[in-house]
Each structure stands twice: as C-alpha cells, then as structure tokens.
C-alpha cells in the first residue's frame, strides 16, 4: 500500500507540474500518458492461491473471487490454481512475494505446514488473508484474518436434522448403519464435518460402518461408495462431506440397483451432504434422492474484498469471520434445527425453487 501511495504521489506531482507548465494551474490536467500509468499503478494487486477445481463449490468460489477483483473495481488479480497440492500453493505464495503484491489471499488445501511460507510473507510486509478453510499455525499473527464456514457446526446441524427425521418416522438408532465419505484429509472442511459427525453419531448411538476418503470429488466419491458397498451390505445412510461426492455416490448406488431416498425402513439409502448451490444437487433434493444438505456458502469474493477495503482504510478487520448458514431439505415437517444455542432454518427445496 505504501509503495502504491508513493508512486501515486510521484505521478500526481508530475501531472501537476505538467499542467502548470502547459496551461497554468487553473485548468484540470489533460489525459496524459502519466495519467493512464497512474491508473494501472493505482490498482491493488491481489495474489490468490486457490485450492483447485475439485468441486462445484470450488468453481463457484473461484467465480465469486474473480468477479470482485476486477480492474473496474480497482484490483489486479493474480490467480493461481494449486490443483489440490500444498506444494503448489507454497510456490504460488513465494511468487506473490517476489512480485511484491499488495495482498496475499490463501484458500489452504490443508491446515498444517504453513508456518515457514507465511513467515516469509510477513517478513516481506505483505498482509495475508485466509479464506474458506483455516490454517493451523504456531503464531496467528502470521495472517491478518480468516473468513469462512464453521464446518463442525455444519456437520452437527446435518446430524441434528437426521436425528429429527428418524424421530419423526419412528426409526430407532440401531437401525441406522451409516458410512462417512470424507473430504480431503487434513482440510478444515473434512476435519470439522467428520468431527461433527463423530460427536453426534456417538451421542445418538448410530452404527457407523465405515469411513472412506472421497477428496471432495465426484470420481473419488464413486470409488468410495463402491468400496463401502463391497464390504457393508447393510449400509442405509451415507454422509457425504460435499455434493460432488454425493452425486458420485448416487450414481454408484443406482447402478447397483438401489434407490436413494429417505425411506430407509423400506430399503432406500439416505444421502446427506454439504454445499447446496449446485443445480444438479438441488435437483436431487427436489426429487428426494438427497435428503438434506448443510449449506456451505461459496460466495467469499465480496467478503474478502470488504476485508481488503478495511485494511486499506487502516481499520482492523475481525480476526475470525464465520458465515451464517442454514440447511436445505425436501421435508417440510422439519422447520429448523438447533445446536449449541444456534438455531438454523431449514429451506425446503422443491421443483419451484430448485
Ligand atoms: O464444501 C467442497 C470443496 O472447503 C468449503 O471444499 C470447502 C469445501 C466444499 O471442495 O465442495
């Protein structure tokens, strides 16, 4: 920011002296070459290291970021896709430091392993904003702030919805044989959703039959579902840690002759998942093949932009900013779920609003 201010001041002085020389100080500066340079140099340069393009959620998140960090809004965005690899993210951050960007925005693939590179950013005096998943660092002054979802709460809310549904239909805990298709191991979204699931399944006494890694992708979701079906013939609920995995799981279940739906007492397999903004997943909720989705909002672009505006104005943004999220389902009887004093509304998705 300091660098931009100095450059801007130098160009302003140049423009003023040019104006005084050619037309006297009473007229406004003409559109000189120096002016157009001022505009380019005045842009706030943001280096964004994105996880990858593993899921529908991720693509929407990328779009959200790209749509706000535009030249018209006063930014130059350097976007790097890490293809789900932390080493690529570390390389990207180092290249941002070399290019002396104004801000580094990091959507970290996993939580650990960031201390060294974030110290390098701090030494270079570049503020780091963490978005979506979190980092687990020894010193949290290595980043200015974080904005994203409470993944453990999301997990608990979905489990709470299931419990309400089972009570409503008179399904007892021993009848629940549930498998968890996990997201990328070590990512906050996986850690939180798995923790929420573990706590609630223990609390309710469900029979947890398996955990399989699905890496948040449709193809891995399919592999995971095939593995589960091979070993656990009795599985009747699948807790998918995102919609991409859920769509993969549904394909496999249907190909093996099973019907996806909430009526587990009559042989259906219940699918629950997270995210909720993808068209295909919303159609599955509307037609009953997905029973419940914990909302995970991907629209972080405007949130990160407002953090940068605060920092530019010399204000201190809140360190941890949690986005409030609800639940999507097709069951009108369950209107809300409440956990740890937090009540969340259930939005019913049907053919009209899918
Ligand atoms: O739920 C999943 C994506 O970190 C919240 O990552 C994000 C998760 C999201 O691949 O679809």
């Amino acid at each position: 920011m300091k660098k931009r201010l100095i450059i801007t001041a130098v160009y302003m002085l140049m423009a003023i002296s040019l104006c005084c020389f050619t037309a006297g100080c009473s007229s406004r500066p003409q559109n000189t070459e120096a002016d157009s340079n001022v505009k380019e140099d005045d842009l706030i340069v943001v280096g964004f290291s994105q996880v990858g393009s593993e899921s529908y959620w991720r693509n929407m998140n990328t779009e959200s970021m790209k749509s706000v960090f535009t030249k018209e809004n006063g930014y130059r965005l350097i976007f790097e896709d890490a293809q789900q690899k932390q080493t690529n993210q570390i390389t990207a951050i180092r290249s941002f430091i070399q290019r002396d960007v104004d801000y580094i925005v990091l959507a970290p693939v996993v939580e650990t392993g960031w201390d060294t590179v974030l110290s390098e950013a701090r030494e270079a005096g570049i503020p780091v904003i963490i978005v979506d998943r979190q980092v687990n660092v020894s010193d949290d002054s290595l980043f200015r702030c974080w904005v994203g979802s409470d993944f453990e709460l999301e997990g608990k809310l979905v489990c709470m919805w299931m419990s309400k549904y089972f009570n409503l239909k008179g399904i007892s805990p021993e009848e629940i044989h549930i498998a968890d298709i996990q997201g990328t191991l070590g990512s906050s979204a996986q850690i939180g959703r798995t923790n929420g699931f573990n706590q609630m399944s223990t609390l309710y006494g469900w029979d947890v039959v398996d955990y399989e890694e699905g890496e948040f992708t449709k193809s891995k979701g399919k592999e995971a579902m095939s593995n589960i079906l091979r070993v656990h013939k009795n599985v009747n609920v699948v807790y998918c840690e995102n919609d991409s995995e859920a769509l993969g799981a549904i394909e496999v279940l249907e190909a093996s002759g099973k019907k996806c739906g909430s009526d587990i007492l009559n042989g259906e397999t219940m699918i629950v998942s997270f995210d909720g903004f993808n068209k295909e997943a919303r159609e599955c909720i509307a037609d009953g093949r997905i029973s419940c989705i914990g909302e995970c909002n991907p629209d972080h672009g405007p949130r990160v932009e407002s953090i940068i505006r605060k920092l530019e104005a010399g204000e201190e943004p809140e360190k941890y900013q949690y986005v409030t999220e609800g639940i999507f389902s097709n069951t009108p009887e369950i209107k809300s779920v409440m956990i740890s004093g937090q009540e969340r509304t259930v939005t019913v998705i049907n053919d009209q609003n899918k």
Side-chain angles (χ1 to χ4, degrees), residues 247 250 279-290 330:
L247 293 171
I250 291 171
K279 191 168 166 281
E280 245 185 288
R282 288 173 82 93
E283 269 165 15
C284 284
I285 281 229
D287 69 24
R289 289 185 294 164
I290 296 182
N330 54 10

Side-chain angles (χ1 to χ4, degrees), residues 139-184:
D139 170 3
D140 78 355
S141 70
L142 287 173
F143 60 95
R144 293 300 287 268
C145 61
W146 163 86
V147 61
S149 308
D150 186 335
F151 301 114
E152 188 170 310
L153 180 68
E154 286 178 354
K156 286 180 175 171
L157 289 167
V158 164
C159 290
M160 183 57 140
W161 182 91
M162 284 193 275
S163 158
K164 274 197 158 184
Y165 183 86
F166 299 147
N167 285 342
L168 192 74
K169 301 291 172 186
I171 304 170
S172 60
E174 319 72 79
E175 286 166 303
I176 310 302
H177 308 290
I178 187 165
D180 177 1
I181 301 185
Q182 298 176 288
T184 305

